[in-house]
């Protein structure tokens, strides 16, 4: 009776609640409310109990109370939804769906268990456990058959339950799978618990390509201390198939989390836990046609991140320099066009600067190419492992002993002992980094030293205790080493060289800075090199003052030519094309040139010149092919007109533009000397000839914005590659420097289809990629020689700045984008025959440190190489010289007119025949032999004609190209004498050696990269002493005319 009373009370309450809810939710259709599942279940479970109040015999009736579980499930769903609304939880769909699925399964099993157990009372009287066992076996589709319903009501219930399960469960699973797939697309969340216990960085991009992802991951995780970091990618687009495949690799699946979302939405930034991130990298989409729009998106992302997480360090990549000032608040900013144009400009005066910088900003262990049979590949790969590191001088074993000594002294002796190249310092009280501050800088224990080495000092294998013992014994001055000291071979050899150099005699005070020292009557003693002084000698160490030697150069030129020469002034450009450009002291015109005079191919009232020939330039041209005159192009001109370049070495600059430049750009460049523009394209031969390509030393082809995106990946460079290949065939002697969108396309530059050597390099590249190298493309000949460059190679500069916050500053100083007072600059010098007495790189290091306080950092080396093709090489050489002999007189005349000297040529892979005396001698002998046979043996005329016919057939393609160019030149009224089409450098290969071992032998035509100290650093203090020292020095302070200097 009490139980019945409780059941009736609950039934009344439930019935009244149901009636009230139906009344409140009534919207005019009563049948809709009546036929709801929940209402029917309520009526089944409550009405029978209410009837028993009035009809007691029905109290023995079985009422299926267990059906209330479905009502409980419905109530639980409503309660969870109300709870989520109360706590404002938005990402709960997956949780809700999983909860609904579990509750549905429980209700099905519970209903089946109770129903079968009750109905089987008329049969075998199954226990509750056996009924539960039967339901589990049935719903799991196992069906052992050991327990089965015996009567038809229970069998009917099983049929009904199975039908309900087949309808309800698939719908629930479908909803769950759909939510799971959507969650996978969006990436889910990075949990707050993980963000507080683990370190992570966020990568924000517009669209994620596989190349960008792999470059970031390989460079980021190349540093040992970043192995425990996680990378959270926040991208608004759906994950690419290739990216998804890569992120499923176990190496990355445990480290990389992909979130689909926008950096402009706070909820997406919250999902990425931006406020807990160690850093945020914001990269621009360089493949967009509208690069300005891409920059605007990057700026908004940077603002949004700074607003949401003001304490998160920002690393921003911007495309156009005029947009850089919008993100000045970021911790590190890399402007793509600034770096690109400055690097391409330096490539024209310091060969392969792009390769040098690319190798420095890539993380490598120096293991690339070590299994190659080629000696140059092994050495090139080993030296590519050099990177820039830093250490506080007081904590350094390398530099601690040089406290109180000059910077030059410390740099030389650290290189001599340990093979490290000290390139710059930073004072504790001053945050500015100074590259080669010169011998006047005295090293302090609080200085931060920046050096180039294979590995940082903390990981080096030197044993300093034995060296300290040697110092106590008095042998430190000799530089001897014990056997077990585990020093590298090149360091031991360098110490032996240094021992011999310690006993050298000082050079006379009035001798030339780099002249060959006197033998002092001893025929067996090799020439000596002055020691590097511990403190600066102001009368003899510093190089000439560039402010004084320019006027002397101008006077000399005026005397020789007998005509007035326009004097240049040094100053800061009055008009900058964009906000935020670093001021640089440059060569300027006394007065701005009229805009009409900037047009190369059209005369005006001020001059009547209409082609490059008419101007009579003394130096070779530098031609830049670009689509538009963007503000970044300004950074191409500034490094080539910097104050530290002598007036004699200034090359005329011709801008070959597809579109007419705007007024504000012309206003910015009209103050620079010898800068011209012309409208035209590189696929138009007439435009190339009119801009003076036959008088050019370098042609820079800049990637066009309109071709950066293509329907098929990697096809964006197709037009550029084909056009450059055409120019390579038409003008083989021209040095063409090309910018590509995709680095993988550099294998098509200067393509030779039947070159077995290029095929071997391709196999080497694949092997290095399989070995996990970040620089698999480094052995491609165009990249090694500095002929091709892709701005995406510099993406690692931004990634490295997370660990090395000084890398962007050092790179900008090397490229000349920033000019910190007292900081040096990058230049180059060429090794001539008169310089080979120095013999090794270590002795050259001492010679430069002791004489001009310059710090060498690497070598650009060119070697002769025979490329095996299907054509006989001797026939090719014959066909080349057969045309050359015909035009040698004209070529000689035009070279004399343009003042070209082979020994002063910048590029070590020069195309002049004197660079290849053996080839020239054999070819001339072949030509004379043919002429003698024609004169003495007239009976063999037919055979001679057949040989000539064969030779003409062999060189028919080359001759057709030659005739095509000459015909177009005649049509345009240009002289054809300057077209030297057969001189090329196809039989040479060039490569960069960064910080080579001190025992590296110097070779003829090596170009040495130097960091020269700032010539204006101490002009105000001791102008008179520097001027007097200048009169005693013969070597000019510039990389081009250094070729004439005697070492």
């Amino acid at each position: 009776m009490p139980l019945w009373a409780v059941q009736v009370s609950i039934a009344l309450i439930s019935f009244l609640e149901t009636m009230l809810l139906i009344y409140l939710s009534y919207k005019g259709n009563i049948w809709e409310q009546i036929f709801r599942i929940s209402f029917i279940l309520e009526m089944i479970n409550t009405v029978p109990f209410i009837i028993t109040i009035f009809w007691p015999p029905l109290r023995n009736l079985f009422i299926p109370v267990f059906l209330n579980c479905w009502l409980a499930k419905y109530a639980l769903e409503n309660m969870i939804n109300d709870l989520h609304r109360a706590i404002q939880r938005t990402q709960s769909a997956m949780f809700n769906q999983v909860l609904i699925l579990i509750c549905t399964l429980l209700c099905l099993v519970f209903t089946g268990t109770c129903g079968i157990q009750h109905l089987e009372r008329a049969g075998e009287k199954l226990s509750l456990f056996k009924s539960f066992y039967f339901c589990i076996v049935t719903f799991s589709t196992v069906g052992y058959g050991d327990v089965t319903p015996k009567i038809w009501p229970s069998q009917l219930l099983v049929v009904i339950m199975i039908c309900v399960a087949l309808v309800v469960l698939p719908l629930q699973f479908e909803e769950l799978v759909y939510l799971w797939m959507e969650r996978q697309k969006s990436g889910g969340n990075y949990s707050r618990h993980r963000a507080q216990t683990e370190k992570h960085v966020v990568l924000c991009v517009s669209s994620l390509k596989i190349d960008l992802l792999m470059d970031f991951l390989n460079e980021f995780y190349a540093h040992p201390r970043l192995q425990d970091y996680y990378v959270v990618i926040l991208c608004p687009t759906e994950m690419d198939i290739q990216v998804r495949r890569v992120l499923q690799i176990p190496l990355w699946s445990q480290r990389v989390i992909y979130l689909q979302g926008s950096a402009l939405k706070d909820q997406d930034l919250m999902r990425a836990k931006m406020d807990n991130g160690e850093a945020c990298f914001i990269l621009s989409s360089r493949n967009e046609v509208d690069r300005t729009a891409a920059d605007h998106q990057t700026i908004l992302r940077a603002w949004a991140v700074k607003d949401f997480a003001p304490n998160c360090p920002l690393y921003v990549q911007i495309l156009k320099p005029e947009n850089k000032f919008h993100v000045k608040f970021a911790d590190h900013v890399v402007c793509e066009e600034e770096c690109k144009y400055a690097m391409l400009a330096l490539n024209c005066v310091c060969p392969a600067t792009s390769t040098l910088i690319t190798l420095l900003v890539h993380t490598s262990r120096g293991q690339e190419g070590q299994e190659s049979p080629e000696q140059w590949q092994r050495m090139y790969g080993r030296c590519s492992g050099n990177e820039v590191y830093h250490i506080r001088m007081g904590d350094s074993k390398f530099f601690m002993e040089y406290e109180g000594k000059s910077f030059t002294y410390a740099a030389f002796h650290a290189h001599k002992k340990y093979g490290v190249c000290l390139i710059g310092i930073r004072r504790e009280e001053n945050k500015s980094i100074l590259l080669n501050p010169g011998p006047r800088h005295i090293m302090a224990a609080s200085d931060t030293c920046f050096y180039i080495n294979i590995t940082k000092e903390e990981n080096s294998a030197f044993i300093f205790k034995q060296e300290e013992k040697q110092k106590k014994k008095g042998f430190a001055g000799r530089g001897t080493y014990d056997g077990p000291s585990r020093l590298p071979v090149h360091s031991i050899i360098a110490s032996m060289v240094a021992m011999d150099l310690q006993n050298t005699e000082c050079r006379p005070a009035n001798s030339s800075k780099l002249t060959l020292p006197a033998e002092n009557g001893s025929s067996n003693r090799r020439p000596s090199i002055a020691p590097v002084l511990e403190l600066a000698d102001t009368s003899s160490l510093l190089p000439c003052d560039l402010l004084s030697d320019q006027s002397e150069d101008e006077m000399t030129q005026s005397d020789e030519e007998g005509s007035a020469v326009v004097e240049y002034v040094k100053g800061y450009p009055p008009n900058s094309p964009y906000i935020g450009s670093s001021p640089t002291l440059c060569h300027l015109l006394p007065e701005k040139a009229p805009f009409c005079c900037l047009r190369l191919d059209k005369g005006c009232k001020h001059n009547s010149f209409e082609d490059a020939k008419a101007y009579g330039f003394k130096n070779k041209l530098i031609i830049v092919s670009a689509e538009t005159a963007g503000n970044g192009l300004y950074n191409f001109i500034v490094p080539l007109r910097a104050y530290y370049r002598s007036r004699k070495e200034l090359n005329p600059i011709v801008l070959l533009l597809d579109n007419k430049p705007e007024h504000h750009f012309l206003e910015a460049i009209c103050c620079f000397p010898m800068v011209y523009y012309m409208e035209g394209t590189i696929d138009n031969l007439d435009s190339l000839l009119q801009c003076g390509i036959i008088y050019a030393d370098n042609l820079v082809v800049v990637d066009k914005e309109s071709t950066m995106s293509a329907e098929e990946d990697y096809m964006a460079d197709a037009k550029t590659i084909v056009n450059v290949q055409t120019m390579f065939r038409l003008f083989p002697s021209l040095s063409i420097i090309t910018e590509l969108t995709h680095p993988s396309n550099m294998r098509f530059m200067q393509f030779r289809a039947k070159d077995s050597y290029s095929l071997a390099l391709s196999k080497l590249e694949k092997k290095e990629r399989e070995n996990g190298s970040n620089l698999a493309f480094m052995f491609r000949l165009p990249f090694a020689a500095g002929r091709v460059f892709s701005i995406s190679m510099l993406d690692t500069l931004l990634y490295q700045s997370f660990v090395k916050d000084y890398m962007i500053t050092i790179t900008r100083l090397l490229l000349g984008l920033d000019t910190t007072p007292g900081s040096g600059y990058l230049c180059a010098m060429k090794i001539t025959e008169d310089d080979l007495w120095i013999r090794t790189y270590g002795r050259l290091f001492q010679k430069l440190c002791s004489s001009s306080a310059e710090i060498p950092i690497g070598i650009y080396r060119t070697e002769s190489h025979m490329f095996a093709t299907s054509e006989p090489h001797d026939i090719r050489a014959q066909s080349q010289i057969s045309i050359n002999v015909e035009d040698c007189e004209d070529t000689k005349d035009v070279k004399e007119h343009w003042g070209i000297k082979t020994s002063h040529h910048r590029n070590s892979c020069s195309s002049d025949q004197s660079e290849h005396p053996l080839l020239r001698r054999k070819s001339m002998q072949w030509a004379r032999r043919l002429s003698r046979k024609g004169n003495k043996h007239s009976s063999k005329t037919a055979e001679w004609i057949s040989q000539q016919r064969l030779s003409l057939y062999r060189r028919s393609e080359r001759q057709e190209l030659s005739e095509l160019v000459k015909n177009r030149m005649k049509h345009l009224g240009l002289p054809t004498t300057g077209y030297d089409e057969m001189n090329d450098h196809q039989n040479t290969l060039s490569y960069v050696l960064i910080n080579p071992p001190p025992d590296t032998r110097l070779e003829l035509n090596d170009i040495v990269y130097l960091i020269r100290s700032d010539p204006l650093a101490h002009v105000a203090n001791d102008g008179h002493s520097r001027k007097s020292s200048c009169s005693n020095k013969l070597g000019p302070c510039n990389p081009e005319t250094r070729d004439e200097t005697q070492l």
Side-chain angles (χ1 to χ4, degrees):
M1 190 68 181
L3 180 61
W4 173 81
V6 172
Q7 289 177 336
V8 170
S9 301
I10 295 175
L12 280 172
I13 295 173
S14 300
F15 180 79
L16 293 176
E17 180 187 4
T18 303
M19 292 294 105
L20 180 61
L21 291 176
I22 287 178
Y23 175 76
L24 294 176
S25 60
Y26 174 69
K27 297 181 180 179
N29 190 352
I30 190 62
W31 298 108
E32 180 182 354
Q33 303 294 328
I34 292 176
F35 288 107
R36 289 176 58 186
I37 300 296
S38 59
F39 178 78
I40 295 174
L41 291 176
E42 285 284 0
M43 294 301 102
I44 294 175
N45 291 311
T46 58
V47 172
F49 284 107
I50 297 174
I51 295 175
T52 59
I53 298 176
F54 307 100
W55 194 6
L58 286 180
R59 294 177 184 177
N60 296 324
L61 180 67
F62 175 76
I63 300 173
V65 183
F66 56 83
L67 294 179
N68 281 320
C69 67
W70 295 97
L71 296 176
K73 168 183 171 295
Y74 179 73
L76 180 63
E77 292 179 15
N78 293 333
M79 184 177 65
I80 294 297
N81 290 333
D82 294 340
L83 178 63
H84 287 168
R85 282 194 294 268
I87 64 177
Q88 296 182 351
R89 182 175 177 180
T90 58
Q91 286 81 23
S92 58
M94 179 64 67
F95 173 79
N96 285 356
Q97 195 59 39
V98 172
L99 182 64
I100 290 171
L101 179 61
I102 293 174
C103 291
T104 302
L105 288 173
L106 291 177
C107 290
L108 283 173
V109 173
F110 182 72
T111 302
T113 300
C114 295
I116 292 174
Q117 192 270 339
H118 171 70
L119 294 176
E120 282 295 319
R121 289 178 180 179
E124 296 184 357
K125 295 185 179 181
L126 293 177
S127 64
L128 191 63
F129 177 76
K130 284 190 175 182
S131 298
F132 175 72
Y133 168 76
F134 169 76
C135 290
I136 294 297
V137 171
T138 302
F139 286 128
S140 63
T141 69
V142 176
Y144 290 119
D146 52 344
V147 178
T148 58
K150 302 299 182 180
I151 60 176
W152 71 267
S154 58
Q155 293 173 349
L156 180 61
L157 178 62
V158 171
V159 172
I160 294 174
M161 295 303 298
I162 290 177
C163 292
V164 172
L166 290 177
V167 174
V168 175
L169 292 182
L171 294 177
Q172 300 293 337
F173 276 111
E174 180 185 7
E175 187 69 21
L176 182 62
V177 170
Y178 173 77
L179 289 175
W180 176 257
M181 293 178 64
E182 291 297 319
R183 182 186 178 92
Q184 287 296 104
K185 291 180 181 179
S186 62
N189 300 322
Y190 185 69
S191 68
R192 176 68 62 180
H193 174 73
R194 293 185 61 182
Q196 293 175 350
T197 58
E198 302 167 349
K199 294 182 179 180
H200 76 284
V201 297
V202 182
L203 176 64
C204 295
V205 290
S206 298
S207 60
L208 187 62
K209 299 295 183 181
I210 186 64
D211 293 339
L212 184 145
L213 175 63
M214 295 311 301
D215 286 344
F216 179 84
L217 295 179
N218 288 330
E219 186 62 37
F220 186 80
Y221 286 111
H223 301 277
R225 73 181 185 90
L226 301 182
Q227 298 303 310
D228 295 332
Y229 278 65
Y230 288 84
V231 175
V232 178
I233 301 173
L234 187 61
C235 180
T237 60
E238 189 175 340
M239 193 187 308
D240 185 63
I241 296 177
Q242 291 181 325
V243 174
R244 186 185 303 275
R245 188 180 300 118
V246 168
L247 294 186
Q248 289 175 350
I249 299 174
L251 177 63
W252 307 122
S253 61
Q254 303 300 321
R255 294 174 167 182
V256 183
I257 302 169
Y258 187 93
L259 303 181
Q260 183 177 350
S262 172
L264 302 183
K265 297 180 180 179
D266 284 354
Q267 56 265 34
D268 289 333
L269 295 178
M270 192 179 300
R271 289 168 54 205
K273 303 300 181 289
M274 185 69 73
D275 51 341
N276 293 104
E278 300 295 321
C280 176
F281 295 88
I282 303 178
L283 306 184
S284 297
S285 178
R286 65 167 56 92
N287 294 331
E288 295 287 340
V289 176
D290 190 352
R291 294 166 69 83
T292 302
D295 271 351
H296 293 168
Q297 296 175 13
T298 301
I299 293 170
L300 286 183
R301 289 191 182 96
W303 290 353
V305 172
K306 197 65 177 177
D307 177 70
F308 181 84
N311 297 325
C312 181
L314 271 181
Y315 297 76
V316 181
Q317 178 192 67
I318 211 78
L319 299 180
K320 289 187 169 294
E322 58 266 26
N323 298 319
K324 189 175 65 171
F325 78 101
H326 290 295
V327 291
K328 286 184 63 177
F329 57 85
D331 298 81
H332 299 277
V333 180
V334 172
C335 181
E336 179 177 296
E337 289 195 3
E338 271 190 342
C339 297
K340 174 179 71 176
Y341 281 107
M343 191 172 297
L344 293 174
L346 279 185
N347 259 14
C348 299
V349 293
C350 298
T353 301
S354 58
T355 302
L356 173 71
I357 299 297
T358 301
L359 295 178
L360 279 178
V361 301
H362 271 78
T363 301
S364 170
R365 294 176 298 174
Q367 300 299 320
E368 288 84 359
Q370 296 310 299
E371 298 179 0
S372 172
E374 297 276 349
Q375 171 64 24
W376 77 270
Q377 293 175 359
R378 295 194 299 271
M379 191 171 185
Y380 172 52
R382 183 169 62 252
C383 291
S384 69
N386 283 278
E387 297 179 47
V388 181
Y389 299 100
H390 75 291
I391 192 170
R392 187 176 178 273
M393 184 177 177
D395 303 330
S396 171
K397 296 292 185 180
F398 285 165
F399 311 111
M400 183 172 55
E401 59 183 295
Y402 307 118
E403 183 180 357
K405 306 294 194 302
S406 68
F407 174 87
T408 309
Y409 180 87
F412 166 67
H413 285 278
H415 184 266
K416 179 185 69 175
K417 287 187 177 181
Y418 310 117
V420 301
C421 180
L422 179 64
I423 62 172
I425 58 95
R426 181 172 57 197
R427 288 288 196 191
E428 185 178 19
E429 66 276 5
N430 188 1
K431 298 302 181 182
S432 299
I433 297 177
L434 304 180
L435 297 182
N436 186 12
R440 292 177 179 271
H441 178 87
I442 305 303
M443 305 293 287
S446 59
D447 288 352
T448 301
C449 300
F450 300 94
Y451 61 96
I452 297 176
N453 196 22
I454 291 288
T455 181
K456 60 182 180 180
E457 179 180 332
E458 293 84 348
N459 299 336
S460 60
F462 291 100
I463 298 179
F464 297 98
K465 293 183 179 180
Q466 296 178 359
E467 182 184 346
E468 293 174 359
K469 292 179 181 179
Q470 292 174 1
K471 288 182 179 180
K472 293 179 181 179
K473 294 179 181 180
F475 292 106
R478 292 187 177 184
T480 57
Y481 295 87
D482 290 343
S485 61
R486 290 197 297 170
L487 286 176
V489 175
H490 62 80
S491 296
I492 297 176
I493 297 178
S495 65
M496 296 172 63
V497 174
M499 287 164 46
D500 186 83
L501 299 182
Q502 290 294 328
N503 298 321
T504 57
E505 296 182 0
C506 296
R507 55 180 171 80
N510 59 350
S511 65
S512 176
K513 181 172 61 176
L514 297 173
T515 52
L516 182 69
E519 303 270 345
N520 294 331
S522 176
S523 59
N524 295 327
R525 182 176 180 180
R526 63 186 178 184
S528 62
I529 300 177
V532 182
L533 303 181
E534 294 186 5
L535 299 176
D537 182 0
T538 58
S539 64
S540 60
L541 270 178
L542 290 176
C544 298
D545 182 8
L546 292 181
L547 292 179
S548 61
D549 73 341
Q550 297 303 306
S551 59
E552 296 174 2
D553 293 343
E554 293 168 6
M555 292 174 59
T556 304
Q557 288 185 2
S558 300
D559 295 340
E560 291 178 356
E561 298 175 6
S563 59
V565 177
V566 178
E567 295 185 359
Y568 300 155
V569 298
K570 287 186 175 68
Y572 294 96
N575 296 314
S576 174
Y578 61 91
I579 301 174
S581 62
S582 179
T584 303
L585 191 65
C586 299
H587 293 281
L588 303 176
L589 293 171
E591 296 181 359
K592 293 182 179 180
F595 289 174
C596 58
C597 296
L598 299 179
R599 186 71 183 258
L600 180 73
D601 57 335
K602 289 186 179 180
C604 62
K605 63 181 180 180
H606 305 95
N607 65 69
S608 59
F609 304 145
E610 295 185 354
D611 59 75
K613 173 72 174 178
Y615 283 86
F617 298 121
K618 296 301 180 183
N619 294 333
K620 287 293 193 82
L621 277 67
I622 295 177
I623 302 176
V624 187
S625 173
E627 186 175 24
T628 57
N631 294 327
L633 198 54
Y634 176 80
N635 294 289
F636 185 91
I637 300 173
V638 170
L640 298 178
R641 294 294 180 265
Y643 72 97
Y644 44 76
R645 305 198 184 281
S646 170
R647 175 181 171 176
K648 289 183 177 181
E649 71 170 18
L650 297 183
N651 299 88
I653 302 174
V654 178
L655 310 178
L656 184 61
L657 306 173
D658 292 6
N659 304 309
K660 187 176 180 179
E662 297 181 0
H663 179 84
H664 71 90
F665 179 78
L666 296 178
E667 184 71 25
I669 68 171
C670 66
C671 59
F672 294 105
M674 292 189 295
V675 177
Y676 308 92
Y677 79 92
M678 174 184 159
E679 294 182 37
T681 59
I682 57 174
D683 54 1
N684 188 331
L685 181 57
D686 291 356
S687 299
L688 293 174
L689 294 174
Q690 285 179 334
C691 71
I693 192 170
I694 61 174
Y695 309 119
D697 199 16
N698 290 277
L699 171 64
V700 178
V701 180
V702 180
D703 200 5
K704 298 182 179 180
E705 295 182 13
S706 61
T707 62
M708 285 186 176
S709 60
E711 295 181 0
E712 182 181 350
D713 287 344
Y714 306 104
M715 277 296 178
D717 297 318
K719 185 176 181 181
T720 300
I721 292 173
V722 174
N723 288 336
V724 171
Q725 181 73 0
T726 302
M727 288 187 292
F728 176 67
R729 302 291 295 277
L730 291 174
F731 310 98
S733 61
L734 184 64
S735 174
I736 305 176
I737 304 167
T738 311
E739 183 207 358
L740 297 179
T741 302
H742 301 285
S744 59
N745 287 333
M746 69 175 60
R747 64 183 185 273
F748 302 121
M749 303 303 300
Q750 301 179 7
F751 187 72
R752 299 182 180 95
K754 300 180 180 180
D755 186 5
S756 59
Y757 195 74
S758 298
L759 181 61
L761 291 178
S762 177
K763 294 180 180 178
L764 177 62
E765 178 180 350
K766 295 176 183 177
K767 184 176 180 180
E768 293 297 336
R769 186 176 288 107
E770 292 174 355
N771 293 336
S773 171
N774 298 342
L775 296 169
F777 54 81
M778 63 177 291
F779 294 103
R780 291 288 183 177
L781 296 182
F783 172 77
R787 307 290 181 196
V788 65
F789 167 72
S790 176
I791 190 61
S792 62
M793 297 175 184
L794 282 188
D795 287 347
T796 56
L797 177 62
L798 189 66
Y799 312 153
Q800 270 205 2
S801 59
F802 180 67
V803 177
K804 305 175 182 178
D805 57 357
Y806 48 84
M807 279 306 299
I808 295 178
T809 303
I810 289 180
T811 302
R812 291 180 64 87
L813 289 173
L814 288 175
L815 296 179
L817 290 171
D818 292 337
T819 53
T820 304
S823 178
Y825 59 94
L826 181 66
C827 60
M829 62 168 286
K830 188 174 182 179
I831 301 297
T832 62
E833 291 184 358
D834 297 331
D835 307 330
L836 294 179
W837 65 273
I838 295 185
R839 295 192 308 281
T840 64
Y841 182 76
R843 288 169 59 86
L844 176 67
F845 205 112
Q846 180 179 6
K847 180 63 177 176
L848 292 173
C849 289
S850 62
S851 60
S852 56
E854 296 166 336
I855 306 297
I857 62 174
I859 296 176
Y860 178 72
R861 176 161 293 174
T862 301
E863 297 178 355
S864 298
H865 192 278
M866 296 301 176
F867 297 95
T869 59
S870 59
E871 300 179 5
H873 180 72
D874 56 344
I875 299 295
R876 290 175 58 206
Q878 293 172 7
S879 64
Q880 289 177 7
I881 199 62
S882 61
I883 296 181
N884 240 348
V885 172
E886 298 172 1
D887 299 335
C888 63
E889 296 298 330
D890 295 338
T891 305
K892 181 179 179 182
D893 294 340
V894 72
K895 284 188 176 182
E896 290 177 354
H897 178 75
W898 279 74
I900 302 172
K901 297 182 180 180
T902 303
S903 60
H904 303 162
H905 199 281
R906 177 195 59 80
N907 198 335
S908 61
C909 51
S910 173
S911 58
D912 198 293
Q913 291 181 5
S914 61
E915 298 278 348
H916 310 284
L918 182 60
L919 176 61
R920 183 181 183 186
R921 193 182 310 119
K922 290 184 177 180
S923 303
M924 293 298 291
Q925 291 173 357
W926 173 82
R928 294 193 192 98
R929 189 161 57 249
L930 282 182
S931 61
R932 286 197 299 268
K933 286 182 179 180
N935 295 332
K936 296 181 180 180
H937 306 282
S938 57
S939 60
K940 297 184 178 180
T941 302
E943 181 181 356
W944 180 82
I945 292 176
S946 64
Q947 291 179 357
Q948 288 285 29
R949 185 175 299 169
L950 178 62
S951 178
L952 288 173
Y953 174 75
R954 294 281 189 182
R955 60 183 173 87
S956 60
E957 180 182 347
R958 178 77 74 168
Q959 189 177 29
E960 288 179 6
L961 295 175
S962 172
E963 292 176 354
L964 171 64
V965 175
K966 290 185 177 180
N967 289 336
R968 293 310 304 164
M969 295 177 68
K970 293 178 182 178
H971 176 74
L972 297 173
L974 302 174
T976 60
T977 54
Y979 180 53
D980 187 12
E981 72 280 5
M982 304 324 300
N983 288 341
D984 57 41
H985 40 73
Q986 296 184 13
N987 292 326
T988 60
L989 59 85
S990 305
Y991 53 94
V992 176
L993 301 177
I994 303 177
N995 188 28
D999 60 313
T1000 303
R1001 301 288 298 185
L1002 296 178
E1003 296 182 3
L1004 184 63
N1005 294 325
D1006 277 353
I1007 294 180
V1008 182
Y1009 299 105
L1010 307 172
I1011 298 181
R1012 186 168 294 160
S1013 58
D1014 185 7
L1016 301 182
H1018 307 283
V1019 170
N1021 296 332
D1022 53 356
H1024 296 289
S1025 63
R1026 292 189 62 181
K1027 186 173 181 181
S1028 62
S1029 66
C1030 236
S1031 61
N1032 296 328
K1033 299 177 185 289
L1034 302 179
C1037 303
N1038 60 80
E1040 296 293 327
T1041 55
R1042 177 60 60 84
D1043 300 346
E1044 303 174 3
T1045 305
Q1046 302 292 326
L1047 283 176

